[in-house]
Amino acid sequence: MTVKPTYDMLLLRFGEFTLKGKNRNRFEKSILQHVRALLKPYPDVNILKEYGRLYVRLNGHPFEPVLADLKKVFGIVSISPVKVCPSELESIVSSALQFMSETSLAPSTTFKVNARRVWKAFPHSSQDMNHLVGSPLLRAFPQLSVNVKEPELELRVEIREDRTYLFHESIQGAGGFPLGTNGKAMLLLSGGIDSPVAAYSAMRRGLEVECVHFYSYPFTSQQAKEKVIELAGILSQYSGTLKLHLVPFTEVQTSFTGIGQDNLIITFMRRAMLRIATRLAEREGALALVTGESLGQVASQTLPSMNVIGRATELPLLRPLITADKHEIIALSKEIGTYDTSIQPFEDCCTLFIPKSPTTNPNLRIVQKVEATLPGLSDKLEQAVEQTETLVITPDQWASTHTQGKESVIREEWF
């Protein structure tokens, strides 16, 4: 069924945070700011706020591109394109007839009218309105038949004092909590499939996320770095602005080679990453670390490995994908638009120096003892933090460089 784009408004409904009592106003304010930021490219549209809802007046603008952007706003559970008319019976009936004439109906379509009289002074009851609107539709469109239990099309009529809304679609939004309303976290972003999905999942739960990426030039390539910046750009479409910290990791990573503990290299490396990410988090005011780990996926993601690796930081470690399987993660990566970039075949530092038999059950005492014998490890960690480059990526900036080429974003000194 195809609907012509002649809607007047988009109705935005809020999600689970409406149950949060005194925090509700703060959450609604956060959504309003996010929506305003996303609507800047559409100067013709404006916002109407009511208790528990937002409306976006389209003012003649096609609804599809605006809808596509608003579906990325966390905290909005559903969106309905709406036709608006005066709250008078004659206007409501004529608008319903026009609404249906603009809808491509199958030769046999079941429907019902679901009227809701929010304005109690309106002279006809909700039940009366179902008949007063439905009967003219049945006479005008012979392909329609009534099915009140499972209709193929449900025309909803919401009567308020100053206007009446007509709509029949409820399109799923991003849901979750408004961005940043649950604090800030530092996310370890690799070039793989999992960590961008973890970033999206964390943001969807109301976290403001900053990303940290570790590179090991010359063992990792410029394309690998570009790939991560592109992933951050895609994620910035959901956050508005995204900080990406690029950490030179070569000195730290190579310090773990040649010490006769090849099976523990991944453990050492992951612990070092957490220590560096922790220092960056403390510097940036983030209160947790987020990783893309999924239980049992690789040797460093067994429960014993995660226990030993996680002991390297005192910050809470959040793992949004911990119980998700690979198929679920891939499906979400495709949905949010990161999959095609993630599968580009450019190596990152996590794929370097992988031993033939990495341990799945490291011993914390042995790991700590070996780390204590490595000369200058603490200084190398500190040096990596000091040499970290930080990019602030916005959707507009990313879209521009993505279209024109990436030369203006990548700087040679990063390599």
Side-chain angles (χ1 to χ4, degrees), residues 129-149:
M129 287 301 293
N130 291 338
H131 296 288
L132 291 171
V133 175
S135 295
L137 293 177
L138 282 172
R139 290 194 293 272
F141 302 96
Q143 64 270 51
L144 290 178
S145 60
V146 174
N147 183 334
V148 296
K149 292 186 177 179

Side-chain angles (χ1 to χ4, degrees), residues 14 17-18 20-34 49 51 74-75 177-184 205-208:
F14 299 148
F17 72 81
T18 54
K20 296 301 180 183
K22 294 180 180 179
N23 287 320
R24 176 170 176 158
N25 287 338
R26 179 169 65 90
F27 289 173
E28 290 189 4
K29 184 178 179 181
S30 176
I31 287 186
L32 182 59
Q33 291 174 339
H34 197 172
K49 184 178 184 306
Y51 183 77
F74 298 115
F177 284 94
L179 190 68
T181 52
N182 280 330
K184 183 196 286 188
R205 297 310 296 170
L207 283 174
E208 177 188 353

Side-chain angles (χ1 to χ4, degrees), residues 207-375:
L207 283 174
E208 177 188 353
V209 166
E210 294 189 14
C211 297
V212 53
H213 175 71
F214 299 87
Y215 67 91
S216 291
Y217 180 78
F219 302 109
T220 56
S221 65
Q222 179 173 345
Q223 290 94 333
K225 185 83 70 65
E226 292 174 352
K227 174 182 169 181
V228 169
I229 294 172
E230 184 168 335
L231 287 171
I234 296 170
L235 292 171
S236 75
Q237 297 178 88
Y238 298 93
S239 60
T241 299
L242 188 71
K243 275 189 177 180
L244 173 62
H245 305 282
L246 299 166
V247 181
F249 199 56
T250 310
E251 292 295 322
V252 175
Q253 191 168 15
T254 54
S255 69
F256 301 131
T257 62
I259 60 175
Q261 298 287 347
D262 287 355
N263 64 329
L264 288 172
I265 280 181
I266 300 298
T267 304
F268 293 138
M269 185 179 69
R270 297 292 295 175
R271 283 170 58 88
M273 287 178 171
L274 291 188
R275 289 186 172 115
I276 292 172
T278 298
R279 295 183 194 188
L280 290 171
E282 291 170 347
R283 189 185 74 185
E284 300 293 327
L287 299 179
L289 302 183
V290 182
T291 73
E293 292 168 309
S294 173
L295 187 61
Q297 191 171 124
V298 295
S300 64
Q301 294 175 18
T302 62
L303 197 56
S305 287
M306 287 193 290
N307 176 40
V308 171
I309 292 168
R311 299 295 185 95
T313 181
E314 293 184 353
L315 290 180
L317 257 177
L318 308 181
R319 301 177 172 101
L321 310 183
I322 193 64
T323 59
D325 64 34
K326 201 65 180 179
H327 294 293
E328 294 169 326
I329 296 170
I330 288 174
L332 186 51
S333 72
K334 290 179 177 177
E335 183 180 330
I336 65 176
T338 57
Y339 179 76
D340 289 340
T341 302
S342 290
I343 62 172
Q344 292 177 14
F346 304 122
E347 77 289 354
D348 60 35
C349 66
C350 295
T351 62
L352 299 176
F353 313 124
I354 295 180
K356 291 182 179 178
S357 301
T359 182
T360 58
N361 187 22
N363 182 292
L364 178 61
R365 184 180 60 81
I366 294 174
V367 169
Q368 291 173 328
K369 186 175 180 179
V370 173
E371 286 177 338
T373 65
L374 295 175

